[in-house]
């Protein structure tokens, strides 16, 4: 469906991003991976994608806290892939603390990775998309781009900001062949969520399974985690021709969290 398209997926060495990169490669995309991790593991992932789907898979380890590195990530993809048709701003980080004791350096880091990085990658990728008259930008926001939760000031602020950025880019590119949408997952079983569940289990002296169940039932009425593959499938749809007139939308995939 996306044969020959060139995609950059930030934060794609694990979790949701890895599932998205794989789903795009399965549809024929040439993919630039990005993210943290051991170099050997990343190289195995890159080589496996290329071998399994017969497509080009590359890697860049840009530090998304730096605006210049975000620009260099896109420039590297343009140089090595020949352009960027699909940009998935997926990388994200989290820290939990009450507002009055929230570390300022954590605020700065989370806003840089979760929000400012998407600004820098998008502004760098857009001129090429405009020239070609085709582009897909998918911002991985969160249910926390639509509602709040306690002790997550920086994360909630960054994801609300990402939803706002999505709408502005959609308006500025409307009618150009470029779309920009946000995906807003609720609880997805990823390393980040597993760490939150483990911290809850330790704090409350309960089993990990009980802590996970508690997280789910507090917020997500379905009582089930969304899978990375489900988020990836929605992302692929937003990149398809079927979604050519879907832009500026924020898609919850949250087990009815925001329906309450």
């Amino acid at each position: 469906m996306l044969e020959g398209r060139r995609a950059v997926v930030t934060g794609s060495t694990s979790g949701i991003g890895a599932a998205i990169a794989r789903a795009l490669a399965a549809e024929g995309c040439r993919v630039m991976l990005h993210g943290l991790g051991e170099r050997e593991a990343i190289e195995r992932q890159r080589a496996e994608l290329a071998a399994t789907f017969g497509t080009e898979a590359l890697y860049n380890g840009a530090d998304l806290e730096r605006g210049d590195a975000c620009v260099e990530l896109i420039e590297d993809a343009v140089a090595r892939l020949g352009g960027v048709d699909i940009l998935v701003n997926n990388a994200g980080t989290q820290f939990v603390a009450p507002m009055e004791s929230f570390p300022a350096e954590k605020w700065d880091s989370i806003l840089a990775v979760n929000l400012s990085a998407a600004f820098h990658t998008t502004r760098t990728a857009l001129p090429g998309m405009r020239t070609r008259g085709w582009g897909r930008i998918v911002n991985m926001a969160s249910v926390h781009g639509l509602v709040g939760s306690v002790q997550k000031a920086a994360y909630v602020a960054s994801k609300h900001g990402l939803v706002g950025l999505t709408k502005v880019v959609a308006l500025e590119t409307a009618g150009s062949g470029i779309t920009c949408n946000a995906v807003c997952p609720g609880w997805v079983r990823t390393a980040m969520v597993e760490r939150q569940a483990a911290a809850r289990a330790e704090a409350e002296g309960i089993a990990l399974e009980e802590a996970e169940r508690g997280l789910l039932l507090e917020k997500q009425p379905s009582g089930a985690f969304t899978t990375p593959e489900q988020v990836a499938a929605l992302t692929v749809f937003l990149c398809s021709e079927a979604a050519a007139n879907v832009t500026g939308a924020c898609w919850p995939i949250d087990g009815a969290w925001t329906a309450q």
Side-chain angles (χ1 to χ4, degrees):
M1 182 168 61
L2 296 170
E3 189 71 35
R5 298 295 188 188
R6 298 152 299 187
V8 173
V9 185
T10 67
S12 52
T13 53
S14 64
I16 292 171
I20 292 170
R22 187 173 186 84
L24 290 172
E27 294 294 339
C29 283
R30 300 159 64 198
V31 178
M32 173 74 81
L33 298 171
H34 161 271
L36 305 175
E38 296 181 0
R39 288 306 296 263
E40 289 184 2
I42 294 169
E43 174 55 24
R44 286 195 299 271
Q45 178 191 7
R46 186 208 63 75
E48 194 271 337
L49 278 183
T52 300
F53 301 109
T55 191
E56 189 171 12
L58 305 173
Y59 170 74
N60 182 296
D63 176 5
L64 298 190
E65 288 194 48
R66 296 174 31 231
D68 60 339
C70 299
V71 172
E72 289 166 4
L73 168 62
I74 300 303
E75 290 177 341
D76 185 39
V78 171
R80 297 166 70 190
L81 294 175
V84 175
D85 303 301
I86 295 169
L87 171 61
V88 183
N89 289 305
N90 167 77
T93 185
Q94 167 73 287
F95 187 81
V96 178
M99 184 67 187
E100 61 270 26
S101 59
F102 204 99
E105 65 275 13
K106 289 294 186 181
W107 171 275
D108 292 340
S109 174
I110 290 168
L111 267 289
V113 173
N114 294 9
L115 178 57
S116 295
F119 162 76
H120 290 296
T121 56
T122 299
R123 71 180 179 87
T124 308
L126 268 178
M129 292 180 178
R130 287 192 184 276
T131 297
R132 292 184 294 275
W134 198 96
R136 298 288 187 268
I137 300 166
V138 180
N139 293 322
M140 199 55 54
S142 165
V143 68
H144 285 115
L146 304 172
V147 298
S149 288
V150 299
Q151 299 191 354
K152 296 184 178 182
Y155 190 78
V156 170
S158 69
K159 295 301 186 178
H160 271 68
L162 192 56
V163 165
L165 179 65
T166 298
K167 294 177 180 180
V168 171
V169 173
L171 289 170
E172 292 188 3
T173 57
S176 68
I178 301 166
T179 68
C180 183
N181 293 286
V183 175
C184 300
W187 290 126
V188 181
R189 188 181 288 281
T190 63
M192 182 186 296
V193 170
E194 287 173 353
R195 286 194 296 270
Q196 290 186 56
R200 179 178 180 141
E202 182 177 357
E204 297 182 8
I206 59 178
L208 179 60
E209 294 77 10
E210 185 179 352
E212 289 180 345
R213 186 69 177 166
L215 283 176
L216 281 169
L217 292 181
E218 279 179 6
K219 301 286 190 178
Q220 197 148 300
S222 68
F225 284 105
T226 300
T227 68
E229 290 74 22
Q230 289 167 338
V231 179
L234 176 55
T235 302
V236 168
F237 164 71
L238 292 173
C239 294
S240 72
E241 287 305 311
N245 206 34
V246 177
T247 192
C250 303
W251 290 69
I253 180 168
D254 65 0
W257 183 328
T258 53
Q260 300 175 95

